[in-house]
Amino acid sequence: MRVLSSIEALRAALAAAKAKGGTVGFVPTMGYLHAGHMELVSRARAENETVVASIFVNPLQFGPTEDLSRYPRDLERDRAMLETAGVDILFAPGVEDMYPRPMKTVVDVPELGCELEGAVRPGHFAGVATVVNKLFNIVQPRNAYFGEKDYQQVVIIKQMVDDLALPVRVVSVPTVRDADGLALSSRNVYLSEEERRAAVVVPRALDEAERLVAQGLTDPQVLEEKLVGFISREPLAKPEVVAVRDASTLQAIAKIEDPVVVALFVRVGTTKLLDNRVIAKKTMSGTGEAR
């Protein structure tokens, strides 16, 4: 596995790989990898001749009071995991490589990016869309892989790709979970033992949502209120976003019909936890791509 930090070196390496034919699969990450990231790599490895992963903690998507400086980092550990998984090229740029000058261009999908998580993290998804668009331009992959845990992010990236006619197939991969149901996340390392035990209220709230819909609940506002109450019974959990939306558009709905996404943004202690579940009222399917 080659480890590269400059855009020019990466482009040169990819030009040689593409000259041999075959597709390039891309897995963009912020590092501190876990089994969920490895699932993305596995999918990319199975579908492409060349696999590129990136590790870049993108400052554009962090607010002034968020955890940029303390976001977990361990490049050597991540490098070993990616090499073992069969990644061909690791792109690990520094901020000065990605943003040698202050960025004057912003890519935004404001109608989607100001909703849900974006309502409590203003500017976050503009930072995400900008860096993903830049990475797509650098790597020029045929396929790119994202985890469904970040459901809103996947919807936004797919919308960006459609709107800008980018020649990239965005593949969403189901969330990987611990044995107790908690979605794997690099930020889980922040949780104390007590907070980790409390965090299971998040996936259990999704189970509760599915149970209530199966029993016939069709009013999204009532479901949201019940889930806020369910989560709030855990003293360490603070529900910041609890929303039931159209699964394709993330728009508010008047009635729960097939399919909807239940999107949660919950703080446990100081750690933000994201999770979601797509619920199809008739089939009760909890999986599927974001679009």
Side-chain angles (χ1 to χ4, degrees), residues 154-206:
V154 174
V155 172
I156 287 170
I157 291 169
K158 288 189 173 187
Q159 187 67 56
M160 177 187 74
V161 165
D162 289 346
D163 288 346
L164 301 182
L166 301 179
V168 181
R169 170 178 168 253
V170 177
V171 181
S172 58
V173 178
T175 303
V176 177
R177 300 178 179 277
D178 271 336
D180 60 4
L182 185 67
L184 297 186
S185 170
S186 299
R187 286 187 169 93
N188 288 355
V189 70
Y190 296 155
L191 297 168
S192 68
E193 290 186 13
E194 183 182 14
E195 290 168 347
R196 177 61 185 80
R197 290 191 294 270
V200 297
V201 72
V202 178
R204 288 175 182 171
L206 296 174

Side-chain angles (χ1 to χ4, degrees), residues 24-40:
V24 172
F26 180 42
V27 180
T29 83
M30 292 207 303
Y32 211 76
L33 305 178
H34 51 66
H37 295 108
M38 293 301 100
E39 187 68 19
L40 304 181

Side-chain angles (χ1 to χ4, degrees), residues 253-274:
I253 56 174
K255 184 178 181 181
I256 296 174
E257 296 178 327
D258 299 350
V260 298
V261 60
V262 178
L264 304 179
F265 180 110
V266 179
R267 288 196 183 270
V268 177
T270 61
T271 304
K272 74 178 186 70
L273 301 178
L274 293 175

Side-chain angles (χ1 to χ4, degrees), residues 75-120:
L75 183 59
E76 283 307 303
R77 166 185 170 276
D78 293 345
R79 183 204 59 75
M81 291 174 68
L82 293 172
E83 187 165 23
T84 299
V87 168
D88 299 296
I89 300 172
L90 167 59
F91 181 47
V95 174
E96 66 281 0
D97 298 301
M98 286 293 287
Y99 307 129
R101 294 167 297 281
M103 288 285 285
K104 296 183 180 180
T105 300
V106 175
V107 180
D108 198 5
V109 187
E111 185 175 331
L112 295 173
C114 292
E115 295 286 322
L116 305 176
E117 183 184 0
V120 296

Side-chain angles (χ1 to χ4, degrees), residues 200-259:
V200 297
V201 72
V202 178
R204 288 175 182 171
L206 296 174
D207 292 341
E208 178 70 0
E210 193 159 1
R211 184 186 70 82
L212 290 168
V213 172
Q215 289 183 344
L217 180 58
T218 61
D219 187 321
Q221 184 174 351
V222 172
L223 179 56
E224 290 169 359
E225 291 170 354
K226 287 182 176 292
L227 294 178
V228 168
F230 183 93
I231 296 168
S232 297
R233 290 199 292 270
E234 168 51 62
L236 297 180
K238 178 184 177 183
E240 296 197 0
V241 174
V242 176
V244 180
R245 298 294 180 88
D246 180 274
S248 295
T249 67
L250 301 183
Q251 296 299 305
I253 56 174
K255 184 178 181 181
I256 296 174
E257 296 178 327
D258 299 350

